Every structure is written in C-alpha cells, then in structure tokens.
Amino acid sequence: MSTPFTAVEARAPGKIILAGEHAVVYGRPALAVPVFGVQARVRVTRRGAQWWVTAPAVQLDARLHDLPAEHPLRRAVVLTQAAVSGLPPAHVHITSSIPVAAGLGSGAAVTVALVRALAALAGQALPAARVNALAYEVEKLYHGTPSGIDNTVITYARPIVYRKGTGWQPLFVARPVPLVIADTGQSASTRAMVRGVRERWQAAPARVEALFDAIAQAVAAAQAALATGDLAALGQALRDNHAHLQALGVSTPALDALVDAALAAGAYGAKLAGAGGGGNMLAITRAEDQARVAAALRAAGAARVIVTTVPATEAP
Ligand code: PMV
C-alpha cells in the first residue's frame, strides 16, 4: 500500500492532577487537566527499511530494534503497527518541553503524540479511544499499575473526572482557573511511590481506606467548586487534599515548603501534584496574584515554575 505522507508531526500537552492522586488507584475519582504550556512533539519521517529513534533530551539516537523489547518507545511502535495497516519504517524524532519524572505526564504525552504521528504517516486517523488504549498499555511499562488517568487526560486534552474501571467524564470548569506549578527539582519514581502506598494500605487497611475516602470528599468538593467557579472553595479542597496526602506519607519537606510558600503569598490553595516524593506542586490563585505566587515559589527554591491557566469549559 502506498503511503500519502513522508513526514508528519503530532503534539500532545502535559497534564497535572488537580485532586485525587493515589486514591484513584483504589477506585476513587480524581480530577486532571491538560497543561498546554508544555508539550511533547513527535516528528516521523519515512526511512528506508529500518526504524530509528532520536530523542536528544535523553541522549537517545538508536535503531529501534536495539532497544529492549520492553522499552516504552519500542512498545508504542509495535502496538501502533498492529493497530494500523501499511505503516512503513520511520525515523522517529522526539522533542519535549515536559519535564521528565515530575508528574507532568511526559511519558504519556510522548506515547500519544507518537501513536498519532505514526497513524498519520500510514494515512489513517485512529479514534481517540484506540489511542488512549494503546497509551495505557505503554503506561504500564513506566508505572507498573497505572490508574490510566495520565493517558486519558492527555489523549482527550480536556479537563476530566477519572475513575478507574468506569472511565472518564468531562470536568465542567465554570471560570478560568489560574494555576502556578512549581517543581521541587527532586525526581521521584511514580512506581516506587505507588508501591509505598500499597505497603501502607496492606499494613493498615482501615486507616488508609479512610484516607482514600477523605481524598474522595476533597475531590467532590473541588469538582463542585469548579462547577460554580468558586476559587476560594477550590483552594480549601486542595489544602484538605494535601493534608490527606501528607498523612498518606507521600509528601516531602521540599513539597511542604513550596505549598507553605504559595499559601503565604496569598494562594487560595496548594498541594503536591502527582505521585509525590518530589516532583511538582500546584497552587490556585487569583489572576492578579499569579506572578507574586510564582516569585514566592522561586524564592522558596523551586527549580522550575510554570504559570498557566485552566480554561473554562462549555457547560454540560
Ligand atoms: O506522578 P504522576 O502525575 O504521573 O501520577 C501518579 C498518579 C497516581 O495516582 C499516584 C498513580 C496513578 O496511576 O494514578
């Protein structure tokens, strides 16, 4: 079969979990939003008879088949080959401004962009549900037992309420939410953090289940606040969620220091975002306070600060 394109590019945004991380692995709902200020870009070009992959940010420039079979990029290509017909060997060029291992979805964004670029190279558009399912398979290589929230929010590129097993729904955001995201600069393994929570859950199931229920309550409060545009109530829900994550043992002194700095600078609320153990935190602010909160986070030692806004969505 002849292919209509010789070079194609696809992009995918980063993401952040607003509320509900960890508890989502145990069936509670969580809220996630795309972060459009950072993105993964995958360009694929036709290339003779062999696959090649270049990702300068991680010093990768190799024949795809020299990567281990379980390598996420190799797995993404193999799964896409099975999903689309007539995919020719390609040179995959990956560039991404999404920080790696920081809870911003870099792995899922690269997978989603790669699957879409390859499908386009073969002249086909895969339905979003198919892209999402392929990206979930690859997420398992990164995370072990992922809930599926990262690949879902990045595939659909809109705010979502996610529940493992039953899937996702659009999250209604009545008015724009100014966000400041700050990185501790400490990289953390999601897989190790999820394993740590599982060990605590096995050791003290009643206590940890009660924390998951408390997190679910904070998620419900955050969802209601987003639907009415009540940023003060949203901030309170996120502060509650952070306290529960501290009790779960996934915060760190560096994350707590950034959360405190954001609150002291006037943020409505702040919490760690993602698996914890390092990585990022987020703060909700008034639009006019965003720059001040960002400066306070830099002064408190943040390695990188992203100032962004979650756009309002259409009413359901
Ligand atoms: O660190 P992140 O943002 O990739 O997210 C991890 C979120 C967890 O709830 C801790 C795990 C998961 O698979 O949902």
Side-chain angles (χ1 to χ4, degrees):
M1 178 184 144
S2 70
T3 49
F5 304 111
T6 54
V8 187
E9 185 178 293
R11 299 169 183 223
K15 75 97 214 333
I16 198 146
I17 298 181
L18 277 187
E21 51 272 270
H22 286 293
V24 69
V25 176
Y26 297 79
R28 273 62 165 194
L31 313 180
V33 297
V35 176
F36 294 108
V38 288
Q39 63 177 4
R41 234 175 67 192
V42 176
R43 196 176 128 79
V44 293
T45 50
R46 295 202 51 179
R47 179 193 168 103
Q50 67 179 6
W51 286 86
W52 198 270
V53 55
T54 307
V58 291
Q59 287 88 43
L60 183 64
D61 189 26
R63 223 165 62 99
L64 186 77
H65 294 91
D66 288 339
L67 300 179
E70 295 298 289
H71 192 289
L73 293 174
R74 185 164 170 190
R75 178 63 71 84
V77 170
V78 168
L79 289 170
T80 311
Q81 272 178 317
V84 301
S85 52
L87 181 59
H91 187 157
V92 175
H93 309 255
I94 300 169
T95 47
S96 175
S97 57
I98 308 174
V100 175
L104 293 179
S106 72
V110 167
T111 304
V112 167
L114 175 55
V115 170
R116 287 198 168 130
L118 290 176
L121 190 69
Q124 294 169 39
L126 286 178
R130 195 74 196 278
V131 173
N132 194 26
L134 295 188
Y136 180 60
E137 287 308 307
V138 178
E139 280 293 282
K140 290 180 187 167
L141 299 177
Y142 285 110
H143 290 336
T145 54
S147 64
I149 190 170
D150 280 25
N151 46 282
T152 303
V153 65
I154 288 169
T155 297
Y156 292 94
R158 59 183 300 168
I160 62 167
V161 186
Y162 182 82
R163 207 186 251 271
K164 194 175 163 181
T166 57
W168 69 281
Q169 290 181 313
L171 170 63
F172 175 41
V173 178
R175 69 181 248 223
V177 180
L179 268 189
V180 184
I181 299 168
D183 194 337
T184 58
Q186 297 164 349
S187 71
S189 151
T190 297
R191 189 189 280 264
M193 298 308 293
V194 169
R195 195 188 314 122
V197 170
R198 184 155 300 265
E199 284 164 9
R200 271 158 260 159
W201 178 70
Q202 282 163 346
R207 176 179 171 271
V208 174
E209 282 288 329
L211 282 173
F212 292 152
D213 287 339
I215 289 172
Q217 273 181 23
V219 167
Q223 188 177 349
L226 285 164
T228 55
D230 185 342
L231 296 187
L234 177 62
Q236 180 62 55
L238 299 193
R239 275 180 277 154
D240 291 346
N241 193 163
H242 184 70
H244 304 321
L245 289 165
Q246 286 176 313
L248 204 52
V250 296
S251 195
T252 63
L255 283 165
D256 290 343
L258 293 181
V259 165
D260 290 346
L263 295 176
Y268 281 125
K271 64 179 276 292
L272 74 84
N280 281 277
M281 53 74 70
L282 64 83
I284 303 290
T285 73
R286 288 184 187 82
E288 59 270 30
D289 293 342
Q290 243 177 335
R292 184 155 46 85
V293 171
L297 287 166
R298 283 190 202 97
R304 186 187 323 93
V305 175
I306 298 171
V307 175
T308 184
T309 299
V310 182
T313 66
E314 273 173 37

